[in-house]
Amino acid sequence: MATTDIHLHQDVHHHDDHEDHEHHEGNFWTTYIFSQDHKVIAKQFLITGIFWALLGGTLSVIFRLQLGFPDMNLDWLKPVLGGWITPEGKLDPEFYLALVTMHGTIMVFFVLTAGLSGTFSNFLIPLQIGARDMASGFMNMLSYWFFFLSSVIMFISLFLETGPAGGGWTIYPPLSALPQAIKGSGLGMTMWLVAMVFFIVSSLLGSINYITTVINMRTKGMSFTRMPLTIWAFFFTAIIGILSFPVLFAAALLLVFDRSFGTSFYLSDIYIGGEALAHEGGSPILFQHLFWFLGHPEVYIVLLPALGLSSEIIATNSRKPIFGYKAMIGSMLFIAILSFIVWAHHMFVTGMNPFLGSIFMLLTLIIAVPSAVKIFNYVTTLWKGNIHFTPGMLFSIGLVSFFLTGGITGIFLGNSAIDIQLHDTYFVVAHFHLVMGSASFFGMMAGVYHWFPKFFGRMVNPTLGYIHFWLTFVGVYMVFFPMHYIGIAGFPRRYYSWTNFETFSGFADLNMLVSVAAIVTLSAQFIFLFNFFYSMFRGRLAPANPWESTTLEWTTPRNPGHGNWVGEIPSVYRWPYDYSKPGAKEDYIPQNIPYSETPESNLPHENELIKLETLNGDGSIVVEGSKH
């Protein structure tokens, strides 16, 4: 036999681990708090992410009240916001900046990076590639607890007397580099920087683990071309994170030096109250280059896992193989590469050389090509499929819708001449909230609904799921579609108040509509919250494979223990999308079913593969010559 050494080693290692300690019962602390089980850690990321999503959404509704109802008396918020409501009953202008800053930080990093990738990379990688756990359970545990520590620091900063960080979620200097500039540049900004350092450590620990696990711990027969698209997405996401997050770490470190140690990396020729500061020679544009070198890959750190989840869900619920499997992998690879060479399209208004701007413009427009490939393949997979409209499927289709509509506006903004006009308007807010924020959020929701039976062994209430979807889907478009129109008309973003400008008075009704839609959309999330926690404990027990899916996670027990499979890990014989295969007895064939058991549906080249299947002495089937 020609089974590779790595398979033999992995099998022995996993089998021994399973026998020796996978079924021993730890105490409460080692089972639920400081657990090294990837499934428990995934749930910790998920619950923490849900908390941050509700908080971040609530912050956005508070500043939408200010924008949509500028004459409203907000004294009723004083019990919560205290001194941040002025004696006139208005939101404090500096607190408005802090709300926008924290909303962006929370949603981009704590919800859509840690909450999405942390949850599903942890949960699905071992289950879908056939591994007992992550390569390092201890590093995995550390990854969550660094994130938790980061969360605690960021949460505490909300209660500071001077308020949390107030320099925008991009924390551009000089506002973020001068503690005396505004209240939000003081201790709140310091805590923001410290929290982000811990967050970056968490992200790097996780990414190293994900990559190592995917490369080294696949079960027998699980070649790279048999991996589900979810795993490919998590794999590319982890690579992007390892290469880009250290740059943000460097940017934050230099910002700490400027703030606390008198250096001038980002500062030069600053005057406060007519007095010149000692800083000379720095450039705030340097910070923008460092920040966006992470910032644009961050878009795909957020988006790729959501696209991976949707690929799996759309194929499963269309009862069709994913269209263009290798093209989907290629498009993700191309996106991952291009994401590192388009960052300066965020900086067209910094006075950059027009020739350099044209280079970044060209690269930015090229990235639309692999994105369009993904959209085309999703639509083609849906085309003439036997579609099952589960809540997870609806959220996946919603992701495709947002990815398309938000992506089209990206073509406008990728053009430097147009972007210079639109850059500081609500058109940009509408664009990135659709293509990155809402699309990724819908991918996360799709994943939660689809894999809830594997997370908790129970089913969610589908009716509440449908209500949650339609309220959120319509609400998101009602929030962000009008923003395109007011943005094209020149309505500026980041303004606390616009009522002093006669030009903008015509947008009062649209702003009110956006704010009402934001309130309704946030309210809809409480339907999900009830459904989530009620179903976790009281939902009906899930069947072993409720969606009749082909991937390995559905071969585990309903509530798999630490180690995932009782006995041997299943071997893999086929790709993960054998749905509705002509001649097959059922409309799906799981990956662990050998071709020798499905002669009625095999293609000619698959019949050839039967010759590579041989029986072990114990009756189990192994794959000869399987390669990694």
Side-chain angles (χ1 to χ4, degrees), residues 452-523:
F452 192 92
K454 188 49 60 182
F455 269 107
F456 301 108
R458 294 180 181 272
M459 304 295 288
V460 292
N461 182 313
T463 306
L464 292 178
Y466 296 139
I467 296 169
H468 175 219
F469 167 77
W470 285 111
L471 285 175
T472 308
F473 183 71
V474 174
V476 166
Y477 269 129
M478 293 287 280
V479 169
F480 298 115
F481 225 79
M483 285 187 186
H484 292 95
Y485 295 101
I486 65 175
I488 289 173
F491 195 89
R493 58 189 173 130
R494 303 195 182 104
Y495 276 35
Y496 157 77
S497 174
W498 47 268
T499 51
N500 295 331
F501 301 90
E502 188 64 34
T503 317
F504 304 137
S505 58
F507 301 120
D509 290 345
L510 273 180
N511 264 308
M512 193 181 300
L513 170 67
V514 167
S515 294
V516 170
I519 293 167
V520 172
T521 306
L522 178 68
S523 302

Side-chain angles (χ1 to χ4, degrees), residues 146-428:
F146 271 113
F147 168 54
F148 185 81
L149 179 59
S150 170
S151 297
V152 169
I153 295 169
M154 196 68 81
F155 186 70
I156 290 172
S157 77
L158 293 169
F159 300 94
L160 295 173
E161 186 179 356
T162 52
W169 80 275
T170 56
I171 59 162
Y172 283 179
L175 193 58
S176 61
L178 297 170
Q180 67 270 43
I182 58 172
K183 289 179 182 176
S185 297
L187 182 58
M189 182 59 69
T190 302
M191 293 184 73
W192 190 100
L193 290 165
V194 172
M196 285 309 299
V197 165
F198 286 120
F199 180 87
I200 292 165
V201 171
S202 162
S203 176
L204 293 175
L205 285 170
S207 295
I208 291 167
N209 225 353
Y210 306 151
I211 292 169
T212 307
T213 305
V214 169
I215 291 174
N216 292 320
M217 300 188 67
R218 287 166 288 128
T219 188
K220 279 189 288 192
M222 180 64 81
S223 61
F224 273 100
T225 51
R226 287 177 179 170
M227 293 197 313
L229 288 172
T230 41
I231 305 302
W232 277 108
F234 301 146
F235 184 63
F236 286 132
T237 301
I239 293 171
I240 296 172
I242 279 182
L243 295 176
S244 62
F245 266 116
V247 181
L248 180 63
F249 184 93
L253 191 64
L254 298 185
L255 189 54
V256 170
F257 285 171
D258 274 13
R259 286 172 57 82
S260 304
F261 301 111
T263 58
S264 301
F265 292 107
Y266 307 132
L267 297 173
S268 185
D269 305 315
I270 304 289
Y271 291 81
I272 293 185
E275 293 290 323
L277 300 187
H279 299 283
E280 284 185 25
S283 170
I285 303 299
L286 169 62
F287 179 87
Q288 291 193 33
H289 279 292
L290 294 174
F291 181 88
W292 288 115
F293 192 83
L294 160 91
H296 201 78
E298 171 67 15
V299 171
Y300 296 102
I301 290 171
V302 163
L303 201 49
L304 283 181
L307 293 171
L309 295 172
S310 292
S311 301
E312 182 71 24
I313 294 166
I314 287 172
T316 300
N317 289 292
S318 297
R319 312 312 293 167
K320 280 179 63 182
I322 193 79
F323 185 87
Y325 172 78
K326 290 185 178 177
M328 293 291 256
I329 297 169
S331 67
M332 284 193 283
L333 174 62
F334 201 43
I335 285 171
I337 293 169
L338 283 173
S339 72
F340 283 98
I341 50 176
V342 297
W343 78 88
H345 68 214
H346 297 270
M347 300 169 59
F348 287 143
V349 294
T350 59
M352 73 161 57
N353 184 309
F355 177 73
L356 187 62
S358 68
I359 299 296
F360 277 103
M361 182 181 89
L362 177 65
L363 293 168
T364 299
L365 297 181
I366 288 173
I367 209 168
V369 175
S371 303
V373 167
K374 297 194 80 66
I375 293 283
F376 176 81
N377 286 3
Y378 287 139
V379 173
T380 317
T381 303
L382 290 165
W383 179 252
K384 292 190 175 181
N386 178 21
I387 299 176
H388 297 177
F389 287 107
T390 64
M393 182 63 157
L394 288 175
F395 274 98
S396 294
I397 295 171
L399 175 148
V400 176
S401 173
F402 292 146
F403 191 48
L404 177 61
T405 51
I408 288 171
T409 58
I411 297 173
F412 289 72
L413 296 171
N415 186 311
S416 55
I418 299 173
D419 178 74
I420 288 168
Q421 306 301 318
L422 294 175
H423 185 84
D424 280 318
T425 72
Y426 268 84
F427 193 89
V428 173

